[in-house]
Short mmCIF file of all heavy atoms in Angstrom, two decimals:
data_model
loop_
_atom_site.label_atom_id
_atom_site.label_comp_id
_atom_site.label_asym_id
_atom_site.label_seq_id
_atom_site.Cartn_x
_atom_site.Cartn_y
_atom_site.Cartn_z
N VAL N 11 -18.61 -16.43 23.64
CA VAL N 11 -18.63 -15.08 23.06
C VAL N 11 -18.89 -15.19 21.57
O VAL N 11 -18.14 -15.81 20.84
CB VAL N 11 -17.27 -14.36 23.29
CG1 VAL N 11 -17.32 -12.98 22.67
CG2 VAL N 11 -16.98 -14.27 24.77
N GLU N 12 -20.00 -14.57 21.14
CA GLU N 12 -20.31 -14.55 19.71
C GLU N 12 -19.44 -13.51 19.03
O GLU N 12 -19.06 -12.50 19.62
CB GLU N 12 -21.77 -14.19 19.50
CG GLU N 12 -22.73 -15.27 20.00
CD GLU N 12 -24.17 -14.85 19.80
OE1 GLU N 12 -24.40 -13.71 19.36
OE2 GLU N 12 -25.04 -15.66 20.09
N THR N 13 -19.09 -13.75 17.78
CA THR N 13 -18.33 -12.76 17.02
C THR N 13 -19.08 -12.42 15.75
O THR N 13 -19.85 -13.22 15.22
CB THR N 13 -16.94 -13.30 16.63
OG1 THR N 13 -17.10 -14.47 15.84
CG2 THR N 13 -16.13 -13.63 17.87
N ALA N 14 -18.87 -11.22 15.28
CA ALA N 14 -19.44 -10.83 13.99
C ALA N 14 -18.74 -11.60 12.89
O ALA N 14 -17.60 -12.03 13.06
CB ALA N 14 -19.24 -9.33 13.79
N PRO N 15 -19.40 -11.82 11.76
CA PRO N 15 -18.74 -12.49 10.65
C PRO N 15 -17.46 -11.76 10.28
O PRO N 15 -17.36 -10.54 10.39
CB PRO N 15 -19.78 -12.39 9.52
CG PRO N 15 -21.09 -12.19 10.21
CD PRO N 15 -20.77 -11.42 11.46
N ALA N 16 -16.46 -12.54 9.83
CA ALA N 16 -15.17 -11.93 9.50
C ALA N 16 -15.32 -10.82 8.49
O ALA N 16 -14.64 -9.79 8.56
CB ALA N 16 -14.23 -13.01 8.98
N SER N 17 -16.26 -10.98 7.51
CA SER N 17 -16.43 -9.96 6.49
C SER N 17 -16.95 -8.67 7.10
O SER N 17 -16.56 -7.57 6.68
CB SER N 17 -17.39 -10.46 5.41
OG SER N 17 -18.64 -10.79 5.98
N GLN N 18 -17.81 -8.77 8.10
CA GLN N 18 -18.33 -7.57 8.75
C GLN N 18 -17.24 -6.87 9.54
O GLN N 18 -17.11 -5.64 9.50
CB GLN N 18 -19.48 -7.94 9.69
CG GLN N 18 -20.16 -6.74 10.34
CD GLN N 18 -21.35 -7.13 11.20
OE1 GLN N 18 -21.92 -8.20 11.00
NE2 GLN N 18 -21.70 -6.29 12.14
N GLN N 19 -16.42 -7.65 10.25
CA GLN N 19 -15.29 -7.06 10.96
C GLN N 19 -14.33 -6.39 9.99
O GLN N 19 -13.82 -5.29 10.25
CB GLN N 19 -14.57 -8.14 11.76
CG GLN N 19 -15.35 -8.67 12.95
CD GLN N 19 -14.54 -9.67 13.75
OE1 GLN N 19 -13.40 -9.97 13.40
NE2 GLN N 19 -15.13 -10.19 14.81
N GLY N 20 -14.06 -7.08 8.88
CA GLY N 20 -13.15 -6.52 7.90
C GLY N 20 -13.67 -5.24 7.28
O GLY N 20 -12.91 -4.29 7.05
N MET N 21 -14.99 -5.19 7.04
CA MET N 21 -15.58 -3.99 6.46
C MET N 21 -15.49 -2.82 7.43
O MET N 21 -15.16 -1.70 7.04
CB MET N 21 -17.04 -4.24 6.08
CG MET N 21 -17.72 -3.05 5.42
SD MET N 21 -19.37 -3.45 4.82
CE MET N 21 -18.97 -4.64 3.54
N ARG N 22 -15.75 -3.07 8.73
CA ARG N 22 -15.65 -1.98 9.70
C ARG N 22 -14.19 -1.50 9.82
O ARG N 22 -13.93 -0.30 9.90
CB ARG N 22 -16.19 -2.40 11.06
CG ARG N 22 -16.23 -1.22 12.04
CD ARG N 22 -17.06 -1.50 13.26
NE ARG N 22 -17.13 -0.33 14.13
CZ ARG N 22 -17.98 0.66 14.03
NH1 ARG N 22 -18.88 0.65 13.05
NH2 ARG N 22 -17.96 1.68 14.88
N ARG N 23 -13.26 -2.45 9.80
CA ARG N 23 -11.85 -2.06 9.85
C ARG N 23 -11.50 -1.18 8.66
O ARG N 23 -10.80 -0.18 8.78
CB ARG N 23 -10.97 -3.32 9.88
CG ARG N 23 -9.49 -3.03 10.02
CD ARG N 23 -8.67 -4.31 10.03
NE ARG N 23 -8.98 -5.15 11.16
CZ ARG N 23 -9.59 -6.34 11.10
NH1 ARG N 23 -9.95 -6.82 9.90
NH2 ARG N 23 -9.82 -7.04 12.18
N GLN N 24 -12.00 -1.57 7.49
CA GLN N 24 -11.74 -0.79 6.28
C GLN N 24 -12.35 0.60 6.38
O GLN N 24 -11.74 1.60 5.98
CB GLN N 24 -12.31 -1.53 5.07
CG GLN N 24 -12.04 -0.88 3.73
CD GLN N 24 -12.57 -1.70 2.57
OE1 GLN N 24 -13.24 -2.73 2.76
NE2 GLN N 24 -12.30 -1.27 1.37
N ASN N 25 -13.55 0.69 6.94
CA ASN N 25 -14.21 1.99 7.06
C ASN N 25 -13.51 2.87 8.11
O ASN N 25 -13.41 4.09 7.93
CB ASN N 25 -15.68 1.80 7.41
CG ASN N 25 -16.49 1.26 6.24
OD1 ASN N 25 -16.06 1.35 5.09
ND2 ASN N 25 -17.64 0.68 6.53
N LEU N 26 -13.05 2.26 9.19
CA LEU N 26 -12.27 3.03 10.16
C LEU N 26 -11.03 3.62 9.50
O LEU N 26 -10.67 4.78 9.73
CB LEU N 26 -11.87 2.14 11.34
CG LEU N 26 -12.97 1.78 12.34
CD1 LEU N 26 -12.50 0.63 13.24
CD2 LEU N 26 -13.34 2.99 13.20
N ALA N 27 -10.37 2.80 8.68
CA ALA N 27 -9.17 3.27 7.98
C ALA N 27 -9.52 4.39 7.00
O ALA N 27 -8.75 5.35 6.85
CB ALA N 27 -8.49 2.11 7.26
N ALA N 28 -10.67 4.29 6.35
CA ALA N 28 -11.08 5.34 5.41
C ALA N 28 -11.31 6.66 6.13
O ALA N 28 -10.91 7.73 5.66
CB ALA N 28 -12.34 4.91 4.67
N VAL N 29 -11.93 6.60 7.30
CA VAL N 29 -12.21 7.82 8.05
C VAL N 29 -10.93 8.46 8.55
O VAL N 29 -10.69 9.66 8.35
CB VAL N 29 -13.16 7.51 9.23
CG1 VAL N 29 -13.25 8.70 10.18
CG2 VAL N 29 -14.54 7.15 8.71
N ILE N 30 -10.09 7.69 9.22
CA ILE N 30 -8.86 8.29 9.75
C ILE N 30 -7.93 8.70 8.62
O ILE N 30 -7.21 9.70 8.73
CB ILE N 30 -8.16 7.32 10.74
CG1 ILE N 30 -7.10 8.09 11.56
CG2 ILE N 30 -7.53 6.14 10.04
CD1 ILE N 30 -6.51 7.27 12.69
N GLY N 31 -7.96 7.96 7.51
CA GLY N 31 -7.14 8.33 6.36
C GLY N 31 -7.56 9.67 5.76
O GLY N 31 -6.72 10.48 5.37
N ALA N 32 -8.87 9.90 5.69
CA ALA N 32 -9.37 11.18 5.17
C ALA N 32 -8.94 12.33 6.05
O ALA N 32 -8.53 13.40 5.57
CB ALA N 32 -10.89 11.13 5.04
N ILE N 33 -9.01 12.12 7.37
CA ILE N 33 -8.62 13.19 8.30
C ILE N 33 -7.11 13.40 8.26
O ILE N 33 -6.62 14.53 8.33
CB ILE N 33 -9.11 12.85 9.72
CG1 ILE N 33 -10.64 12.85 9.74
CG2 ILE N 33 -8.56 13.82 10.75
CD1 ILE N 33 -11.26 12.23 10.97
#
Side-chain angles (χ1 to χ4, degrees):
V11 179
E12 293 179 355
T13 60
S17 58
Q18 184 177 338
Q19 290 184 359
M21 182 173 295
R22 186 165 183 86
R23 184 180 297 112
Q24 183 177 5
N25 288 341
L26 286 166
V29 169
I30 195 172
I33 295 167

